[in-house]
């Protein structure tokens, strides 16, 4: 199948240093050269050179990490999804992490404009010792009439396997025509952020400390849960992307301080 954008990466480990052992990109996807702002953690930025997603676009990202390899991957800017009423836009992600691998993936907001339809399917294969950090933010785009929630449909599915056993299914479905601003949905907010972090040292005490940290923020609504495996998931509701990004930055700082005694990743966003 020919994709509008395709990216395949393989990350290895040699002499105590992670490196990109293989990379291939096609269509509108490009990547920067790796930057080592932290020892043994290459940072890559994914670039979309097409300006935005349009009806019928298809995208796929594949990452394979050999034992003990590390990678931080981010996007260059927000992803904009325009009118796509006929076929919609689809994004596939597939990640394979070996023993003691660490993958940190931080995405800029996904902005859905009027009549946009977007479907994302993410599959993650881990071992019990793998570390996986993933964030995304959903934002409604501006519309000429100024009305909120002009996009048609957002569907995002994630399946996480540990040692080839399915452990987690996360499914987010937003259809504004069905009144998503009510109770048990967005509850008056317009933006939603999701964070998943899997690490063998996650425990209940950390969940409580993170909740107490985030509950102080008065402009957001937060939910945090311990996963059935060693990990946590966080959902944040807000009225803008900035508040969600700020909350996630605090979570990241907390994680790196408590688990690694290090500063968080410098994503080069400013």
């Amino acid at each position: 199948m020919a994709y509008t954008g395709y990216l395949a990466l393989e990350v290895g480990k040699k002499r105590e240093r992670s490196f990109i052992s293989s990379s291939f990109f096609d269509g509108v996807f490009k990547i920067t050269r790796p930057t080592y702002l932290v020892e043994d953690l290459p940072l890559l930025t994914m670039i979309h050179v097409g300006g935005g997603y349009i009806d019928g676009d298809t995208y796929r990202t594949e990452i394979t990490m050999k034992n003990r390899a590390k990678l931080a991957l981010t996007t260059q800017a927000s992803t904009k999804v325009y009118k796509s009423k006929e076929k919609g836009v689809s994004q596939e992600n597939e990640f394979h992490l070996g023993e003691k691998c660490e993958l940190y993936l931080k995405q800029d907001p996904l902005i859905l404009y009027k009549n946009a339809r977007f479907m994302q399917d993410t599959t993650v294969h881990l071992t019990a010792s793998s570390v996986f950090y993933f964030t995304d933010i959903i934002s409604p785009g501006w519309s000429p009439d100024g009305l909120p929630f002009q996009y048609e449909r957002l569907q995002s599915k994630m399946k996480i396997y540990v040692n080839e056993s399915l452990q987690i299914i996360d499914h987010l479905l937003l259809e504004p025509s069905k009144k998503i601003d009510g109770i048990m949905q967005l509850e008056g907010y317009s933006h939603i952020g999701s964070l998943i972090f899997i690490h063998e040292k996650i425990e209940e005490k950390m969940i409580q400390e993170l909740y107490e940290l985030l509950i102080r923020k008065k402009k957001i609504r937060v939910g945090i849960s311990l996963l059935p495996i060693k990990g946590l998931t966080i959902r944040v509701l807000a009225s803008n992307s900035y508040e969600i990004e700020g909350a996630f930055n605090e979570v990241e700082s907390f994680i790196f301080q408590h688990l690694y005694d290090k500063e968080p990743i410098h994503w080069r966003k400013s």
Side-chain angles (χ1 to χ4, degrees), residues 59-63 90-97 103 105 107 110 118-126 132-136 155-161 166 168-172 194 196 198:
Y59 300 89
R60 182 170 176 82
T61 299
E62 300 173 3
I63 300 176
S90 65
Q91 167 80 50
E92 301 172 358
N93 303 310
E94 187 166 341
F95 309 131
H96 294 262
L97 280 65
L103 175 60
L105 203 162
Q107 302 177 100
L110 176 75
F118 181 78
M119 296 149 285
Q120 179 171 258
D121 197 340
T122 301
T123 304
V124 187
H125 294 272
L126 308 173
F132 179 66
Y133 177 88
F134 180 95
T135 71
D136 63 5
Q155 184 174 31
S156 180
K157 297 180 181 179
M158 177 180 284
K159 294 181 179 180
I160 299 179
Y161 295 81
L166 180 60
I168 297 168
I169 298 177
D170 183 66
H171 186 194
L172 175 64
S194 302
I196 290 181
I198 296 173

Side-chain angles (χ1 to χ4, degrees), residues 53-56 81-89 114-118 152:
Y53 291 11
I54 59 174
D55 199 24
V81 184
Y82 297 107
K83 179 180 177 180
S84 39
K85 290 175 67 70
E86 299 299 324
K87 297 180 179 178
V89 176
K114 187 174 182 178
N115 296 324
R117 294 173 60 209
F118 181 78
E152 285 203 356

Side-chain angles (χ1 to χ4, degrees), residues 135-155:
T135 71
D136 63 5
I137 299 172
I138 308 300
S139 166
W142 174 88
S143 62
D145 55 18
L147 295 175
F149 305 122
Q150 294 290 289
Y151 59 90
E152 285 203 356
R153 179 183 174 94
L154 176 283
Q155 184 174 31

Side-chain angles (χ1 to χ4, degrees), residues 20 53 67 179 206:
I20 311 304
Y53 291 11
N67 291 348
K179 304 296 182 184
M206 180 178 288

Side-chain angles (χ1 to χ4, degrees), residues 37-41 70-73 102-106 131-135 195 197-199 202 206 210 213 232 248-267:
L37 298 177
V38 177
E39 187 178 354
D40 191 34
L41 181 63
K70 299 179 183 180
L71 176 67
L73 178 67
E102 298 180 21
L103 175 60
Y104 304 92
L105 203 162
K106 184 172 187 175
V131 175
F132 179 66
Y133 177 88
F134 180 95
T135 71
L195 183 153
F197 181 54
I198 296 173
H199 191 291
I202 295 291
M206 180 178 288
L210 275 171
L213 175 69
L232 60 86
F248 286 173
N249 287 341
E250 290 199 28
V251 172
E252 188 179 325
S253 295
F254 179 93
I255 286 170
F256 273 76
Q257 177 63 43
H258 283 69
L259 295 181
Y260 307 125
D261 194 25
K262 294 180 179 179
E263 295 292 317
I265 298 169
H266 180 52
W267 294 96

